[in-house]
Amino acid sequence: MLHLRLITPSDRTEAVIRLIEKTVGTTHLAVVPGAARNPVGDLVMVDVAREAGDELIGGLRELEIDTVGSIAVEDIDLSLSKRADQAEADAPGEGVDAVLWEQLTEATHEESTLSVTYLAFITLATMIAACGVVLDNAILIVGAMAVGPEFGPLAGFSTAVVRRRPRLALRSLTALLVGFAVAMAVTVLFSLLMDGMGLFTEDMLEADRPNTAFVYAPDAFSFVVAVLAGIAGTLSLTSAKSGLLVGVAISVTTVPAAANAAVALSYGDTSQTAGSTNQLLLNLAGITLAGTLTLLTQKWLWSRQRR
């Protein structure tokens, strides 16, 4: 169940109430006239089944409540109510299959913003991965994958394509490209520093690396894994199972490939640089394609299910 807290101008409150009452899957409607002060208006609260949430939020936006008032949405972890149980039973479809497009857009918008924190995480992840590839240490590679925040912009770009939001697409693409460019540039400097300290050597990079050689040797499996990870990651976002994103993060080699490309570039190894770059691009393309197709499929299946 979802809990909606609305601030509505007094002249639109009746229209909002009518919309809520005709939406199948709503319950616990409460109206407090004149309670809101900023902006001035009435306070309306209602619980709605997740599978009916997108329809209700869409209707509220058509009434421009998001412009002249406020729409706040919260997940309800526990609701002990027969009315809530009945509302969920009445709403068409299953809540776990429902996609809250406004919530998804907002979440990916936040995750795909080019911020100092985002740059710090992707740079630190790439530097950790650099240590992993030079030392041929799979544990460091897995750790770097988990730290990397690059799935946010990838999901944001897929969402933007499906929802036809060019500004979100541009924001996501900018965060992705600038983020990796900065991370790789800093990692080149980091590699040179580590070499000067005697902690990195070219021999270590060129040696047999059975645990990490895959990051500069892309093959068909690289694309297949990226596609599967893109599907899993998108489903975890749309079903609010964000904990699964950690598993998605450690199944693709975007950050390790970027790290290996940076280290190889610092030593002038164009072969490994090219191979790692191809691995990076292959993973980015696979995740983006899978994410977009998954969202399109969910949108189509949900529309059929509701009909």
Side-chain angles (χ1 to χ4, degrees):
M1 294 290 289
L2 302 172
H3 177 71
L4 272 64
R5 187 182 70 253
L6 314 172
I7 295 178
T8 68
S10 299
D11 59 346
R12 303 198 188 192
T13 300
E14 286 302 320
V16 168
I17 293 174
R18 287 196 299 270
L19 172 64
I20 293 173
E21 290 178 338
K22 76 175 184 180
T23 301
V24 178
T26 60
T27 187
H28 304 153
L29 174 61
V31 181
V32 186
R37 291 293 179 266
N38 184 20
V40 175
D42 302 331
L43 177 64
V44 180
M45 294 174 288
V46 64
D47 295 342
V48 58
R50 181 180 174 85
E51 51 269 42
D54 193 62
E55 176 187 354
L56 178 56
I57 294 171
L60 292 169
R61 296 200 66 181
E62 289 180 3
L63 292 173
E64 299 182 337
I65 301 303
D66 56 320
T67 301
V68 298
S70 169
I71 303 173
V73 183
E74 300 173 337
D75 285 307
I76 300 177
D77 295 326
L78 177 63
S79 179
L80 302 178
S81 166
K82 290 185 177 180
R83 289 182 178 274
D85 294 339
Q86 187 60 48
E88 289 186 316
D90 292 341
E94 295 294 331
V96 71
D97 295 331
V99 179
L100 297 176
W101 291 103
E102 294 297 337
Q103 186 182 60
L104 178 63
T105 301
E106 184 64 25
T108 53
H109 178 277
E110 181 179 346
E111 294 294 327
S112 60
T113 300
L114 184 62
S115 62
V116 174
T117 301
Y118 171 82
L119 288 175
F121 271 117
I122 196 169
T123 300
L124 290 170
T126 307
M127 293 166 68
I128 293 170
C131 296
V133 296
V134 172
L135 297 174
D136 194 35
N137 189 315
I139 295 176
L140 290 176
I141 293 295
V142 171
M145 290 175 174
V147 172
E150 72 279 7
F151 190 80
L154 290 169
F157 186 80
S158 296
T159 302
V161 171
V162 174
R163 302 214 69 194
R164 300 177 183 179
R165 300 285 180 88
R167 293 185 63 181
L168 177 58
L170 180 60
R171 177 188 292 267
S172 301
L173 195 60
T174 299
L176 197 65
L177 297 180
V178 174
F180 271 112
V182 170
M184 292 173 71
V186 173
T187 302
V188 169
L189 298 177
F190 174 72
S191 177
L192 294 173
L193 175 63
M194 295 291 279
D195 180 80
M197 297 170 62
L199 298 176
F200 282 7
T201 66
E202 188 172 3
D203 290 339
M204 296 170 70
L205 180 71
E206 301 297 340
D208 290 336
R209 291 187 281 143
N211 293 321
T212 58
F214 65 92
V215 299
Y216 62 87
D219 54 21
F221 282 106
S222 301
F223 186 75
V224 170
V225 171
V227 169
L228 295 176
I231 295 172
T234 303
L235 289 175
S236 72
L237 283 177
T238 57
S239 63
K241 296 183 180 295
S242 58
L244 299 178
L245 282 177
V246 175
V248 173
I250 63 176
S251 63
V252 292
T253 56
T254 49
V255 166
N260 197 85
V263 176
L265 183 62
S266 71
Y267 285 114
D269 187 337
T270 55
S271 177
Q272 282 201 39
T273 300
S276 300
T277 302
N278 289 336
Q279 178 77 279
L280 173 62
L281 295 176
L282 198 64
N283 275 267
L284 294 178
I287 295 172
T288 303
L289 177 63
T292 303
L293 293 178
T294 299
L295 288 176
L296 287 171
T297 301
Q298 286 182 287
K299 187 176 182 179
W300 178 73
L301 288 174
W302 183 249
S303 65
R304 285 178 58 88
Q305 189 174 6
R306 290 189 64 82
R307 286 199 299 266

Short mmCIF file of all heavy atoms in Angstrom, two decimals, residues 246-282:
data_model
loop_
_atom_site.label_atom_id
_atom_site.label_comp_id
_atom_site.label_asym_id
_atom_site.label_seq_id
_atom_site.Cartn_x
_atom_site.Cartn_y
_atom_site.Cartn_z
N VAL A 246 22.68 -4.55 -5.39
CA VAL A 246 24.05 -4.92 -5.05
C VAL A 246 24.48 -6.12 -5.89
O VAL A 246 25.59 -6.17 -6.42
CB VAL A 246 24.18 -5.23 -3.55
CG1 VAL A 246 25.58 -5.72 -3.23
CG2 VAL A 246 23.86 -4.00 -2.73
N GLY A 247 23.59 -7.10 -6.01
CA GLY A 247 23.89 -8.26 -6.83
C GLY A 247 24.07 -7.90 -8.29
O GLY A 247 24.91 -8.46 -8.99
N VAL A 248 23.27 -6.94 -8.75
CA VAL A 248 23.41 -6.47 -10.13
C VAL A 248 24.75 -5.79 -10.33
O VAL A 248 25.45 -6.02 -11.32
CB VAL A 248 22.26 -5.50 -10.49
CG1 VAL A 248 22.49 -4.89 -11.87
CG2 VAL A 248 20.93 -6.23 -10.45
N ALA A 249 25.14 -4.96 -9.36
CA ALA A 249 26.37 -4.19 -9.48
C ALA A 249 27.59 -5.09 -9.61
O ALA A 249 28.53 -4.78 -10.35
CB ALA A 249 26.52 -3.27 -8.27
N ILE A 250 27.62 -6.21 -8.89
CA ILE A 250 28.80 -7.06 -8.91
C ILE A 250 28.75 -8.11 -10.01
O ILE A 250 29.57 -9.03 -10.03
CB ILE A 250 29.00 -7.75 -7.54
CG1 ILE A 250 27.83 -8.67 -7.21
CG2 ILE A 250 29.21 -6.73 -6.45
CD1 ILE A 250 28.02 -9.44 -5.93
N SER A 251 27.81 -7.98 -10.93
CA SER A 251 27.73 -8.93 -12.04
C SER A 251 28.18 -8.32 -13.36
O SER A 251 28.25 -9.02 -14.36
CB SER A 251 26.29 -9.46 -12.18
OG SER A 251 25.40 -8.41 -12.48
N VAL A 252 28.48 -7.02 -13.37
CA VAL A 252 28.93 -6.38 -14.61
C VAL A 252 30.31 -5.75 -14.40
O VAL A 252 30.70 -5.47 -13.28
CB VAL A 252 27.93 -5.31 -15.09
CG1 VAL A 252 26.64 -5.95 -15.55
CG2 VAL A 252 27.67 -4.29 -14.00
N THR A 253 31.02 -5.53 -15.49
CA THR A 253 32.43 -5.13 -15.38
C THR A 253 32.67 -3.72 -15.91
O THR A 253 33.68 -3.47 -16.56
CB THR A 253 33.31 -6.13 -16.14
OG1 THR A 253 32.86 -6.23 -17.50
CG2 THR A 253 33.25 -7.50 -15.50
N THR A 254 31.76 -2.82 -15.64
CA THR A 254 31.95 -1.45 -16.12
C THR A 254 33.12 -0.77 -15.41
O THR A 254 34.07 -0.31 -16.05
CB THR A 254 30.67 -0.64 -15.91
OG1 THR A 254 30.20 -0.83 -14.57
CG2 THR A 254 29.59 -1.08 -16.88
N VAL A 255 33.06 -0.68 -14.10
CA VAL A 255 34.12 -0.01 -13.32
C VAL A 255 35.47 -0.72 -13.46
O VAL A 255 36.49 -0.06 -13.70
CB VAL A 255 33.70 0.13 -11.85
CG1 VAL A 255 34.90 0.51 -10.98
CG2 VAL A 255 32.60 1.18 -11.71
N PRO A 256 35.55 -2.06 -13.32
CA PRO A 256 36.85 -2.71 -13.51
C PRO A 256 37.44 -2.49 -14.90
O PRO A 256 38.65 -2.32 -15.04
CB PRO A 256 36.53 -4.19 -13.27
CG PRO A 256 35.34 -4.18 -12.38
CD PRO A 256 34.54 -3.00 -12.84
N ALA A 257 36.59 -2.47 -15.92
CA ALA A 257 37.09 -2.24 -17.28
C ALA A 257 37.64 -0.82 -17.40
O ALA A 257 38.71 -0.61 -18.01
CB ALA A 257 35.97 -2.46 -18.29
N ALA A 258 36.94 0.15 -16.83
CA ALA A 258 37.42 1.53 -16.86
C ALA A 258 38.75 1.65 -16.11
O ALA A 258 39.67 2.35 -16.55
CB ALA A 258 36.38 2.46 -16.24
N ALA A 259 38.86 0.95 -14.99
CA ALA A 259 40.10 0.99 -14.21
C ALA A 259 41.26 0.38 -14.97
O ALA A 259 42.37 0.93 -15.00
CB ALA A 259 39.90 0.25 -12.88
N ASN A 260 41.03 -0.77 -15.59
CA ASN A 260 42.10 -1.42 -16.34
C ASN A 260 42.54 -0.56 -17.53
O ASN A 260 43.73 -0.47 -17.85
CB ASN A 260 41.65 -2.79 -16.82
CG ASN A 260 42.82 -3.68 -17.23
OD1 ASN A 260 43.41 -4.34 -16.39
ND2 ASN A 260 43.16 -3.68 -18.50
N ALA A 261 41.56 0.08 -18.17
CA ALA A 261 41.89 0.97 -19.28
C ALA A 261 42.77 2.12 -18.81
O ALA A 261 43.73 2.51 -19.49
CB ALA A 261 40.62 1.49 -19.93
N ALA A 262 42.47 2.67 -17.65
CA ALA A 262 43.24 3.80 -17.12
C ALA A 262 44.65 3.39 -16.75
O ALA A 262 45.63 4.08 -17.07
CB ALA A 262 42.52 4.39 -15.91
N VAL A 263 44.79 2.24 -16.07
CA VAL A 263 46.12 1.78 -15.69
C VAL A 263 46.96 1.44 -16.92
O VAL A 263 48.14 1.80 -17.01
CB VAL A 263 46.02 0.56 -14.75
CG1 VAL A 263 47.41 0.01 -14.44
CG2 VAL A 263 45.31 0.92 -13.46
N ALA A 264 46.34 0.75 -17.88
CA ALA A 264 47.05 0.39 -19.11
C ALA A 264 47.48 1.64 -19.87
O ALA A 264 48.58 1.70 -20.44
CB ALA A 264 46.16 -0.49 -19.98
N LEU A 265 46.61 2.66 -19.86
CA LEU A 265 46.95 3.92 -20.54
C LEU A 265 48.14 4.59 -19.87
O LEU A 265 49.00 5.17 -20.56
CB LEU A 265 45.73 4.85 -20.52
CG LEU A 265 45.89 6.20 -21.25
CD1 LEU A 265 46.13 5.97 -22.73
CD2 LEU A 265 44.64 7.05 -21.04
N SER A 266 48.22 4.50 -18.56
CA SER A 266 49.35 5.12 -17.86
C SER A 266 50.67 4.46 -18.22
O SER A 266 51.74 5.09 -18.12
CB SER A 266 49.13 5.05 -16.34
OG SER A 266 49.26 3.72 -15.86
N TYR A 267 50.63 3.20 -18.66
CA TYR A 267 51.85 2.49 -19.07
C TYR A 267 52.00 2.43 -20.59
O TYR A 267 52.92 1.80 -21.10
CB TYR A 267 51.85 1.07 -18.50
CG TYR A 267 52.15 1.01 -17.03
CD1 TYR A 267 51.18 0.58 -16.12
CD2 TYR A 267 53.39 1.38 -16.54
CE1 TYR A 267 51.46 0.53 -14.76
CE2 TYR A 267 53.68 1.33 -15.18
CZ TYR A 267 52.71 0.90 -14.30
OH TYR A 267 52.99 0.86 -12.95
N GLY A 268 51.06 3.05 -21.31
CA GLY A 268 51.15 3.07 -22.76
C GLY A 268 50.78 1.76 -23.43
O GLY A 268 51.15 1.53 -24.59
N ASP A 269 50.05 0.90 -22.73
CA ASP A 269 49.62 -0.38 -23.31
C ASP A 269 48.31 -0.16 -24.05
O ASP A 269 47.22 -0.24 -23.48
CB ASP A 269 49.44 -1.41 -22.20
CG ASP A 269 49.17 -2.82 -22.73
OD1 ASP A 269 48.68 -2.94 -23.87
OD2 ASP A 269 49.44 -3.79 -22.00
N THR A 270 48.42 0.13 -25.33
CA THR A 270 47.23 0.45 -26.12
C THR A 270 46.33 -0.76 -26.33
O THR A 270 45.12 -0.62 -26.49
CB THR A 270 47.63 1.02 -27.48
OG1 THR A 270 48.51 0.09 -28.15
CG2 THR A 270 48.35 2.36 -27.32
N SER A 271 46.92 -1.96 -26.32
CA SER A 271 46.12 -3.17 -26.53
C SER A 271 45.13 -3.39 -25.39
O SER A 271 43.94 -3.59 -25.61
CB SER A 271 47.04 -4.38 -26.67
OG SER A 271 46.27 -5.57 -26.80
N GLN A 272 45.63 -3.33 -24.15
CA GLN A 272 44.74 -3.51 -23.01
C GLN A 272 43.78 -2.32 -22.87
O GLN A 272 42.64 -2.50 -22.45
CB GLN A 272 45.55 -3.67 -21.72
CG GLN A 272 46.16 -5.05 -21.54
CD GLN A 272 46.50 -5.34 -20.09
OE1 GLN A 272 45.75 -4.97 -19.18
NE2 GLN A 272 47.61 -6.02 -19.86
N THR A 273 44.26 -1.13 -23.20
CA THR A 273 43.38 0.05 -23.13
C THR A 273 42.19 -0.12 -24.07
O THR A 273 41.04 0.12 -23.69
CB THR A 273 44.15 1.33 -23.50
OG1 THR A 273 45.23 1.50 -22.58
CG2 THR A 273 43.24 2.54 -23.43
N ALA A 274 42.47 -0.56 -25.30
CA ALA A 274 41.40 -0.75 -26.29
C ALA A 274 40.45 -1.88 -25.86
O ALA A 274 39.23 -1.75 -25.94
CB ALA A 274 42.00 -1.05 -27.66
N GLY A 275 41.03 -2.98 -25.37
CA GLY A 275 40.20 -4.11 -24.95
C GLY A 275 39.30 -3.75 -23.77
O GLY A 275 38.11 -4.09 -23.75
N SER A 276 39.86 -3.04 -22.81
CA SER A 276 39.07 -2.63 -21.64
C SER A 276 37.99 -1.64 -22.02
O SER A 276 36.86 -1.69 -21.50
CB SER A 276 39.99 -2.02 -20.58
OG SER A 276 40.97 -2.93 -20.17
N THR A 277 38.31 -0.71 -22.93
CA THR A 277 37.32 0.26 -23.38
C THR A 277 36.17 -0.43 -24.09
O THR A 277 35.00 -0.09 -23.90
CB THR A 277 37.97 1.30 -24.31
OG1 THR A 277 39.04 1.95 -23.61
CG2 THR A 277 36.96 2.34 -24.74
N ASN A 278 36.50 -1.43 -24.92
CA ASN A 278 35.45 -2.20 -25.61
C ASN A 278 34.58 -2.94 -24.59
O ASN A 278 33.36 -3.03 -24.75
CB ASN A 278 36.07 -3.19 -26.59
CG ASN A 278 36.67 -2.50 -27.80
OD1 ASN A 278 36.27 -1.40 -28.16
ND2 ASN A 278 37.63 -3.15 -28.44
N GLN A 279 35.22 -3.49 -23.55
CA GLN A 279 34.46 -4.17 -22.50
C GLN A 279 33.51 -3.20 -21.81
O GLN A 279 32.35 -3.53 -21.55
CB GLN A 279 35.43 -4.76 -21.48
CG GLN A 279 34.80 -5.46 -20.30
CD GLN A 279 34.26 -6.83 -20.63
OE1 GLN A 279 33.16 -6.93 -21.18
NE2 GLN A 279 35.01 -7.86 -20.30
N LEU A 280 34.01 -2.01 -21.52
CA LEU A 280 33.19 -0.98 -20.87
C LEU A 280 32.00 -0.61 -21.73
O LEU A 280 30.85 -0.59 -21.26
CB LEU A 280 34.05 0.24 -20.58
CG LEU A 280 33.32 1.49 -20.05
CD1 LEU A 280 32.66 1.20 -18.72
CD2 LEU A 280 34.29 2.66 -19.92
N LEU A 281 32.25 -0.31 -23.00
CA LEU A 281 31.17 0.10 -23.90
C LEU A 281 30.16 -1.02 -24.11
O LEU A 281 28.95 -0.78 -24.20
CB LEU A 281 31.76 0.55 -25.24
CG LEU A 281 32.64 1.81 -25.19
CD1 LEU A 281 33.24 2.09 -26.56
CD2 LEU A 281 31.85 3.01 -24.70
N LEU A 282 30.66 -2.26 -24.20
CA LEU A 282 29.78 -3.42 -24.39
C LEU A 282 28.83 -3.57 -23.21
O LEU A 282 27.63 -3.83 -23.38
CB LEU A 282 30.62 -4.67 -24.58
CG LEU A 282 29.94 -5.90 -25.20
CD1 LEU A 282 29.52 -5.59 -26.62
CD2 LEU A 282 30.91 -7.09 -25.19
#
